[in-house]
Amino acid sequence: MQQARHRILIDFKAPLREVGAIWLLTARGISALVSPPYEFRSWLGQMGHLGVSSLGVASVTTLFTGMVLALQTAYSLPELGVKYYIGSVVSKSLTRELGPVLVALIVGGRIGSGMTAELGTMKVTEQVDAMRSMAADPIKKLVVPKLAATLIMLPALTVLGDLLGILGGLFVAVNQLNLSVGLYINDVLQTLTMEDVFNGLGKSVFFACFIAIIGCHNGLTASGGAEGVGHATTRTVVWASIMVLVSDFFLTKLFHVLI
């Protein structure tokens, strides 16, 4: 009985230690991010590696999401004349919810797993310990460039994805629903506000922070050789996706009050 109770206590403490370690890494990462010296060359390298290389997958995802959204909206509610308001439906849905969430899920899974694999390999081959032995801070050298690049590139990819999704809706509206280009664009410009845009961008900043911190944390705590790195990479994809979806609900309520 005592051994079982002790085992339950250990299992209960493990998630708390994990959450505490993530919050500590978040605090240290943000502190190092805003403190000089700023290694902009490393930031630019990570922006190209994490952001520019994700343009393709982000573009395809949001383009076809806008197309499907326009088509399904018009076909599901034809008696309400919804097809004449396709522009407002597509633009608001993408900028507020679908754009930030889909880009974070698709791109975040890609770059988060890449961070974990890179840092995990360095951890199991003792390169991180070698950096500490040379009085170099792994947080400043390894985590901060990835955090900065993700905070910059994920919102940028979200904006690009929103534009492509709206263009995808325009393509469907003109070629499938026989609407004019002017009617669609006019509907978008009349209904889409800066509040909608800032709402989505604000979410993408939080999503970027979650993805980068979770990816770096799992990489820096990986153990057990190649198999351990593989488990850590899978854990990053799962937990980053869960954090994006769960936090989206609370951020929606928060921005509804603030904006």
Side-chain angles (χ1 to χ4, degrees), residues 3-17:
Q3 290 180 350
R5 188 179 302 171
H6 181 66
R7 190 179 300 113
I8 292 174
L9 185 61
I10 293 176
D11 293 341
F12 180 74
K13 287 182 177 179
L16 294 180
R17 284 197 296 267

Side-chain angles (χ1 to χ4, degrees), residues 27-38 43 139-140 143-145 147-149 151:
R28 293 181 62 188
I30 294 177
S31 176
L33 176 67
V34 299
S35 302
Y38 305 107
W43 294 16
I139 304 297
K140 188 72 172 180
V143 175
V144 168
L147 177 60
L151 287 172

Side-chain angles (χ1 to χ4, degrees), residues 169-218:
L170 172 63
F171 178 82
V172 171
V174 172
N175 292 280
Q176 297 291 324
L177 305 178
N178 298 320
L179 297 180
S180 66
V181 175
L183 178 64
Y184 181 91
I185 294 178
N186 185 61
D187 189 29
V188 171
L189 295 178
Q190 283 187 342
T191 57
L192 189 64
T193 65
M194 293 305 297
E195 175 184 339
D196 300 324
V197 177
F198 287 133
N199 191 300
L201 286 179
K203 289 181 180 181
S204 66
V205 171
F206 282 94
F207 295 160
C209 185
F210 296 149
I211 292 166
I213 292 298
I214 291 174
C216 292
H217 168 74
N218 287 331

Side-chain angles (χ1 to χ4, degrees), residues 9 19 48 75 94 96 115 127 130 135 161 168 173 185 188 201 215 218 225 235 249:
L9 185 61
V19 172
Y75 285 173
L94 279 171
R96 278 185 168 269
M115 293 178 193
Q127 296 180 53
I185 294 178
V188 171
L201 286 179
N218 287 331
R235 195 162 57 245
F249 171 77

